[in-house]
Amino acid sequence: MDTASEDILLEVSPATKALLEGAAKLTGQDDLADYILTAAIDRAKMDMGAQGAFALSDAAWGAFNARLEAPARDLPRLRALLSDG
């Protein structure tokens, strides 16, 4: 986890807090704040990914492009599956 530098304060109902605490215990996390933060980060990454845009380092972009430009591999089983006969 990143070193804390900003606060986020949440007010929730007792039922919501109990739900979050129960879920944290089920996943083996003792620290409720860590559980909530991990879940929020995972959701944020999923939501950002759903936007269809992502950033890659120069090295990762190069590797990605190399895979796109590489000749297609022959996959006989896939070819047979997709053939008409």
Side-chain angles (χ1 to χ4, degrees):
M1 216 39 70
D2 290 333
T3 302
S5 61
E6 297 286 335
D7 289 334
I8 298 175
L9 303 175
L10 300 172
E11 290 188 30
V12 298
S13 69
T16 297
K17 184 177 180 186
L19 175 67
L20 294 170
E21 288 172 335
K25 286 182 182 179
L26 282 174
T27 63
Q29 291 190 344
D30 295 325
D31 188 312
L32 181 58
D34 282 347
Y35 173 78
I36 293 170
L37 184 57
T38 299
I41 289 169
D42 289 347
R43 176 60 188 262
K45 288 178 180 177
M46 185 174 64
D47 290 346
M48 294 299 289
Q51 295 299 313
F54 55 93
L56 297 175
S57 68
D58 288 343
W61 177 252
F64 178 72
N65 250 343
R67 291 257 176 143
L68 289 176
E69 297 298 326
R73 292 182 297 147
D74 183 33
L75 302 170
R77 289 176 46 197
L78 180 59
R79 191 172 5 92
L81 180 65
L82 298 175
S83 71
D84 291 335

